[in-house]
Amino acid sequence: MLKQTEGSRAVAEAIALCRPQVICAYPITPQTHIVEGLGEMVKSGELGGCEFINVESEFAALSVAIGASAAGVRTYTATSSQGLLFMAEAVYNAAGLGLPIVMTIGNRAIGAPINIWNDHSDSMSMRDAGWIQLYAETNQEALDLHIQAFRLAEELSCPVMVCMDGFILTHAYDRVDVPDQQEVDAYLPRYEPRQILDPADPVSIGAMVGPEAFMEVRYLSHHKQLRALTLIPQLAAEFEKRFGRSSGGLIRTYRSDDAETIVVALGSVNGTIQEVVDEMRSDGARIGSVSICSFRPFPLAPLREALKNAKRVVVLEKCLAVGLGGIVSDGVRKSLSGIVLNGYTVIAGLGGRAITRGSLRRLFEDAQRDELEQVTFLDLNADVVSAQLERESNARRTGPTAEAILRRLGTVASSIG
Amino acid sequence: MGPQDQQIKFYQTGTFTVGNRLLAENQRSVQADMHRTNSLNSGHRACQGCGEALGARYAIDAAMMATANQLIAVNATGCLEVFSTPYPETSWQIPWIHSLFGNAAAVASGVAAAQRALGRSQVRVIAQGGDGGTTDIGFGCLSGMFERNDDVLYICYDNEAYMNTGVQRSSATPPAARTATTPAVGPSPGNVFGTGKNVPRIAMAHRIPYVATASVSNLRDLEAKVTYAMTIEGARYVHILVPCPLGWGTAPEDTIKIARLAVESGLFPLFEAHHGRVTSRTPIRRQVPVADYLKPQKRFAHLFGKTPDTERIARVQAMAEANIAEYALLD
Amino acid sequence: MSGAEILSVAAFLEGRYAQAFPSFGSERMGAPVMAFCRIDDKEIRLREPVLAPDALIIQDQTLLHQVDLFSGLPPRGFVLLNSVKSLDELGLAGFARGVQHYRMCTLPATELALKYVGRAVPNAALLGGFAAITGVVKLASVVAAIAEKFPAPIAERNIAAASEAFELARRSQEVTNAQAD
């Protein structure tokens, strides 16, 4: 059914349709509206057969989810930013134990400095924990990916993170098509655990494993993600067949077949990128884009296929490997192993800095002329940066950096363009 | 009928447990019962004389009997978890999960929620851990579980330090005790006075339905308290003193004796509380001076020697006296 | 719900695509807050803040002299200003008729809200006025959106405010147009 609703609400409705049995929640901006929506549905009785637990920290949230999932029920939680870091130990634990928990990440920057707005640093910090990571481009896709995520998680016995841009998607009102219960039930059957805490058939979960077997256990989790490279497109295809729209999959290409310049990105910025691609195409440029949906497992082969004939690839990332440059770029470069082309990393949108059509247009035009640095920080205020560097070279006690910069910018804490 | 209503009391002397042979079958302890589940089976790798292995066996078998074997256990990282599940073996004959060091209480809350979601009201949940995993790193999750009144019995096996990692100090380590991080050197040897956390009292402050302390010197009392706890729904906490021969520097065969001395000195009071109020206590039969308890333990050796540290021993004695007064242990 | 969100629902009810989202500036009591709405007949892919609005709704007139509100507004762009005063009284008449030919209109939206709803919540009235001066959405759609998103008694009162606002704005447009002719 078509609705005009907040992204978070759409996701909450999708989760509810998946018949979760335990939901645990700890508030953190910008995911709160999702769990609040679900909490209301449980309390009002709209979502039956589900326990909703208010926990005292994100570490507790994922731990409760671990217990519930190990006891054989479909489990869900959500977090962002600092919360994801606070539960980091449990994130690795859930993957290591092979528990099919689905968790939404409302992508938000990690402090210090504290920042509530969007970027991908949170989910990127957990990219190697063993969870599958899927990035939604739109609120429709966010909704759809959660349904696919439960199916994927349970078939593989592997937890799945569905990542959606905080505020940009979570707090945006969009038109979405919410499937009906029957359709979802047909796609997502009952949860059949591979392991379960059951007095009728006792098992010990969470044993210590020493050098004699640890490598094998870890290899098997790696292998699981490699199997996901096949399963993810299969489930996306099945989804399309049943629900009538394309959602998910490993990557999505846009006008890239004959493109000389291809832009690669994750999440909602792809919408803006596609608009710019269209503008530039109508001006004769041979430019296209690729949206990566599955970041873990990383789609090396499909990316290689999509990028191999380009002259240059621009990877636009909302995250930063401090001291190195790009994170996504590393994966992209790996996919192009042996192929020579010009690769550019653009760090953009950190902490919610808007990525505008205008800036992207200028950026892509510079790329086309190969007039880009290896690593570019999009729309960086060079004056502010050099002023701070000068202060630091002139005195020792320069005070907190963030405060100094904010004072220089004036009372408005963030500028839009 | 709670532990305080027991018709038969057993007083143990030395390290010998009074036999069940004198009693009718239905009055014997769980451990004496042929149908006990032996939940923590033999073959585990605990040290000789491990108080925790003893306590866990008694506690979990009692809980299994009380729930007709419908029990799931969640274990924090620590000695118990490590010695009971050395890959590829497990000693546990019940459904058991180990997640992390600090989250046993939260994982247990999740397991309990799953049982509700599945409509399995008869399956009960125990969370268990050492003092480190309970009083320190697991404290937040513990408090959360208490506050929500989740249907979980949390059992803390308190050997008063992080034993598994090599005897480091925890917030359950008593004053003056030597540990690897509170060495017996300098002007204030051992753990500092004026620190420490009384988790049973903190549990009481949450006003949960049931809190109890127990000791491996009073095993029937321990069984009775766990059995009773399983008749109650909601958050429950049982704190068991379990001497560690390695960490305390005591002889393996003296574990029960040492635990008894802790109780009889007044340093470890045995009591029960309901919804935040003390409702019963076990009186001390024959009070012993704290020195009798401290001296056999190498972790307190620095208090004794050519010139005993009378000042510190007196401070420990004062703590014991305070407990005796508070809980009316000699009345 | 913000006015932008209700507007997006109104557009949706007319079968169009709409995207509404909050600004990404500081959000705290007392700071200028913006919300954006895009409306189109095809799927909206763009995810940047609205930098070149076709229409501006100013809920708080005190911002007029604090922030550059009109940045990006094209010539003949619509401006709806929440105020009891007229453009003349605000000293904006000349500005409106100036180089940019902004199509400006004031509306006592807060007063209408106080009258019908009993609280200073000008959104519904502003949307009624917006429907009148821009024609981007019909009043009936605004009404339906309010009815859908608010509980019945509150919805009714907001609808009343929106309807009167619509009439007021329509009449004020007629006067402005007459003057311009």
Side-chain angles (χ1 to χ4, degrees):
Chain A
M1 179 171 136
L2 283 177
K3 295 187 184 194
Q4 179 78 13
T5 189
E6 195 188 60
S8 300
R9 178 77 203 183
V11 168
E13 292 188 25
I15 304 291
L17 288 167
C18 293
R19 301 187 188 277
Q21 291 162 289
V22 169
I23 297 174
C24 34
Y26 187 79
I28 184 167
T29 307
Q31 60 81 338
T32 30
H33 289 184
I34 303 174
V35 289
E36 282 167 10
L38 284 163
E40 219 182 293
M41 286 187 238
V42 170
K43 202 115 198 254
S44 70
E46 194 185 322
L47 174 53
C50 182
E51 296 285 322
F52 183 87
I53 312 203
N54 284 305
V55 287
E56 69 284 359
S57 77
E58 287 91 351
F59 177 65
L62 191 56
S63 298
V64 169
I66 285 169
S69 189
V73 300
R74 187 169 282 160
T75 310
Y76 170 81
T77 187
T79 192
S80 307
S81 180
Q82 317 297 138
L84 182 59
L85 289 186
F86 198 67
M87 56 161 74
E89 210 195 350
V91 173
Y92 275 77
N93 191 252
L97 293 178
L99 296 170
I101 298 164
V102 170
M103 173 161 69
T104 308
I105 306 297
N107 286 115
R108 167 184 151 179
I110 289 177
I114 184 166
N115 174 298
I116 63 168
W117 295 283
N118 164 255
D119 72 31
H120 292 159
S121 51
D122 50 9
S123 48
M124 284 298 164
S125 75
M126 292 293 116
R127 64 191 184 273
D128 298 325
W131 285 57
I132 290 174
Q133 285 193 343
L134 305 173
Y135 284 76
E137 223 179 282
T138 61
N139 277 318
Q140 180 68 65
E141 189 165 46
L143 184 173
D144 295 340
L145 281 177
H146 284 90
I147 301 170
Q148 295 181 35
F150 279 106
R151 178 86 182 268
L152 181 63
E154 289 168 15
E155 282 197 22
L156 285 175
S157 287
C158 179
V160 178
M161 267 182 222
V162 179
C163 306
M164 60 190 293
D165 287 321
F167 286 112
I168 299 174
L169 290 183
T170 57
H171 285 58
Y173 262 66
D174 271 314
R175 172 173 152 146
V176 289
D177 189 355
V178 181
D180 65 46
Q181 186 66 72
Q182 264 181 310
E183 293 177 299
V184 176
D185 287 343
Y187 181 83
L188 180 65
R190 254 179 55 115
Y191 172 38
E192 289 289 341
R194 273 196 181 277
Q195 58 186 333
I196 175 171
L197 294 167
D198 182 356
D201 187 9
V203 287
S204 294
I205 300 177
M208 184 165 202
V209 174
E212 62 281 332
F214 195 81
M215 284 218 46
E216 285 68 29
V217 172
R218 297 294 282 137
Y219 175 76
L220 286 166
S221 63
H222 175 69
H223 190 263
K224 195 186 278 193
Q225 286 232 6
L226 296 179
R227 290 203 312 275
L229 286 169
T230 311
L231 191 55
I232 288 170
Q234 264 172 25
L235 292 180
E238 195 187 316
F239 189 92
E240 180 164 8
K241 197 150 170 250
R242 189 176 290 284
F243 296 90
R245 61 179 169 268
S246 160
S247 260
L250 295 173
I251 65 171
R252 192 174 298 125
T253 61
Y254 187 74
R255 305 185 81 167
S256 63
D257 284 343
D258 66 336
E260 282 183 359
T261 306
I262 302 183
V263 181
V264 180
L266 276 62
S268 64
V269 73
N270 277 288
T272 310
I273 291 172
Q274 287 157 19
E275 288 281 307
V276 178
V277 163
D278 281 350
E279 266 176 38
M280 291 175 73
R281 276 272 177 188
S282 52
D283 288 343
R286 284 173 54 190
I287 183 169
S289 70
V290 172
S291 166
I292 298 179
C293 176
S294 166
F295 186 71
R296 283 294 185 268
F298 193 82
L300 290 170
L303 259 182
R304 187 188 185 81
E305 193 53 40
L307 302 176
K308 68 183 186 209
N309 297 319
K311 282 215 176 76
R312 64 190 69 76
V313 172
V314 177
V315 182
L316 189 85
E317 329 201 7
K318 280 183 176 175
C319 51
L320 173 64
V322 184
L324 179 60
I327 295 175
V328 181
S329 305
D330 279 355
V332 173
R333 222 152 266 145
K334 203 179 204 146
S335 75
L336 293 168
S337 170
I339 294 175
V340 178
L341 50 73
N342 292 341
Y344 302 103
T345 298
V346 178
I347 310 295
L350 298 183
R353 175 74 65 84
I355 301 174
T356 64
R357 237 185 323 197
S359 290
L360 287 183
R361 174 101 196 215
R362 284 188 294 277
L363 176 75
F364 298 161
E365 283 168 355
D366 285 346
Q368 282 188 298
R369 293 188 298 267
D370 288 305
E371 282 173 11
L372 266 190
E373 302 279 342
Q374 260 281 285
V375 177
T376 305
F377 279 69
L378 188 67
D379 294 339
L380 193 69
N381 187 329
D383 287 340
V384 165
V385 169
S386 50
Q388 178 63 18
L389 290 172
E390 202 184 312
R391 285 185 68 237
E392 285 172 13
S393 70
N394 290 341
R396 179 76 193 165
R397 181 69 74 85
T398 45
T401 308
E403 187 187 51
I405 291 178
L406 288 173
R407 254 195 258 120
R408 212 188 134 78
L409 285 175
T411 53
V412 177
S414 56
S415 69
I416 285 184
Chain B
M1 167 148 149
Q4 65 273 26
D5 302 321
Q6 279 176 265
Q7 302 291 2
I8 294 144
K9 294 243 193 272
F10 285 95
Y11 295 106
Q12 298 160 216
T13 60
T15 58
F16 298 105
T17 316
V18 175
N20 288 280
R21 281 167 284 175
L22 303 174
L23 296 172
E25 269 188 49
N26 64 354
Q27 290 175 317
R28 296 180 189 180
S29 62
V30 173
Q31 282 301 304
D33 193 323
M34 286 298 287
H35 298 105
R36 76 174 190 279
T37 45
N38 211 25
S39 320
L40 177 64
N41 206 350
S42 57
H44 58 72
R45 310 294 205 259
C47 301
Q48 259 192 330
C50 172
E52 189 168 12
L54 179 64
R57 175 161 60 91
Y58 271 68
I60 302 301
D61 278 356
M64 282 289 273
M65 186 146 298
T67 59
N69 302 348
Q70 298 296 301
L71 192 73
I72 298 175
V74 178
N75 220 126
T77 309
C79 273
L80 180 60
E81 165 262 322
V82 170
F83 72 61
S84 65
T85 55
Y87 180 86
E89 296 166 2
T90 178
S91 286
W92 295 101
Q93 308 217 73
I94 63 170
W96 178 96
I97 181 168
H98 159 239
S99 172
L100 296 167
F101 198 4
N103 72 357
V107 174
S109 295
V111 175
Q115 304 315 307
R116 287 197 301 279
L118 291 169
R120 294 176 163 197
S121 53
Q122 77 284 6
V123 178
R124 311 296 298 288
V125 183
I126 278 185
Q128 54 186 5
D131 50 284
T134 306
T135 70
D136 289 340
I137 196 170
F139 193 64
C141 288
L142 185 68
S143 177
M145 183 273 279
F146 287 164
E147 179 275 315
R148 287 187 300 273
N149 199 27
D150 288 333
D151 188 24
V152 171
L153 166 60
Y154 192 103
I155 302 177
C156 174
Y157 303 102
D158 184 6
N159 52 27
E160 300 184 338
Y162 290 91
M163 295 309 187
N164 189 232
T165 45
V167 195
Q168 291 87 16
R169 179 252 191 225
S170 80
S171 63
T173 303
R178 178 194 73 197
T179 68
T181 48
T182 57
V185 294
S188 293
N191 195 30
V192 176
F193 278 83
T195 59
K197 206 184 279 189
N198 187 327
V199 180
R201 297 301 303 207
I202 293 168
M204 284 166 60
H206 288 72
R207 298 193 207 281
I208 57 176
Y210 184 65
V211 175
T213 59
S215 166
V216 292
S217 57
N218 298 51
L219 289 164
R220 278 200 70 117
D221 176 69
L222 192 168
E223 277 189 358
K225 281 166 174 167
V226 172
T227 302
Y228 173 69
M230 297 316 294
T231 65
I232 302 172
E233 269 179 40
R236 294 143 287 140
Y237 182 73
V238 174
H239 190 111
I240 309 176
L241 184 70
V242 295
C244 166
L246 187 76
W248 293 24
T250 50
E253 64 269 22
D254 285 347
T255 294
I256 293 177
K257 181 158 83 174
I258 291 292
R260 184 172 310 113
L261 287 170
V263 171
E264 298 293 292
S265 69
L267 282 174
F268 191 86
L270 294 179
F271 64 88
E272 294 170 288
H274 289 76
H275 298 287
R277 302 177 137 249
V278 175
T279 46
S280 87
R281 85 284 185 257
T282 303
I284 291 172
R285 282 191 67 219
R286 276 195 291 266
Q287 186 186 4
V288 299
V290 297
D292 285 7
Y293 165 63
L294 301 174
K295 199 151 185 207
Q297 304 177 54
K298 293 212 186 72
R299 64 176 175 156
F300 293 110
H302 55 281
L303 297 177
F304 304 92
K306 281 217 221 29
T307 41
D309 190 337
T310 46
E311 195 237 316
R312 282 194 175 79
I313 295 171
R315 287 174 80 176
V316 176
Q317 187 65 51
M319 286 166 56
E321 300 298 335
N323 282 342
I324 290 168
E326 165 125 43
Y327 296 96
L329 296 174
L330 288 175
D331 295 355
Chain C
M1 272 186 71
S2 76
E5 288 161 2
I6 305 172
L7 179 57
S8 77
V9 175
F12 167 79
L13 292 171
E14 289 181 12
R16 308 184 73 187
Y17 288 83
Q19 185 195 82
F21 53 101
S23 76
F24 307 131
S26 252
E27 271 192 29
R28 55 184 165 83
M29 299 280 276
V33 168
M34 282 188 280
F36 307 108
C37 182
R38 284 194 172 90
I39 298 173
D40 204 340
D41 291 310
K42 59 184 191 319
E43 194 187 334
I44 299 168
R45 295 179 302 183
L46 202 55
R47 292 283 174 186
E48 61 170 18
V50 175
L51 301 170
D54 299 304
L56 204 57
I57 300 176
I58 303 171
Q59 258 184 25
D60 182 353
Q61 56 167 322
T62 66
L63 292 171
L64 272 173
H65 306 290
Q66 285 181 42
V67 187
D68 180 11
L69 295 172
F70 302 97
S71 154
L73 191 68
R76 297 184 62 71
F78 292 97
V79 181
L80 182 61
L81 183 61
N82 180 16
S83 177
V84 285
K85 301 190 176 143
S86 69
L87 283 177
D88 278 321
E89 286 166 330
L90 287 167
L92 288 172
F95 175 68
R97 285 197 290 274
V99 168
Q100 301 291 0
H101 299 291
Y102 292 145
R103 292 182 274 184
M104 283 182 87
C105 176
T106 65
L107 189 70
T110 303
E111 280 59 36
L112 286 169
L114 286 167
K115 173 176 164 185
Y116 287 103
V117 185
R119 288 172 52 228
V121 284
N123 277 333
L126 285 169
L127 287 178
F130 176 82
I133 69 168
T134 67
V136 167
V137 285
K138 305 197 236 327
L139 175 65
S141 310
V142 172
V143 167
I146 295 170
E148 195 178 287
K149 292 294 180 178
F150 291 91
I154 300 174
E156 271 169 43
R157 290 184 227 133
N158 276 292
I159 287 167
S163 305
E164 188 178 326
F166 180 87
E167 286 307 315
L168 276 176
R170 203 169 51 81
R171 265 180 270 134
S172 144
Q173 281 294 82
E174 283 165 7
V175 170
T176 313
N177 291 342
Q179 284 177 338
D181 291 340

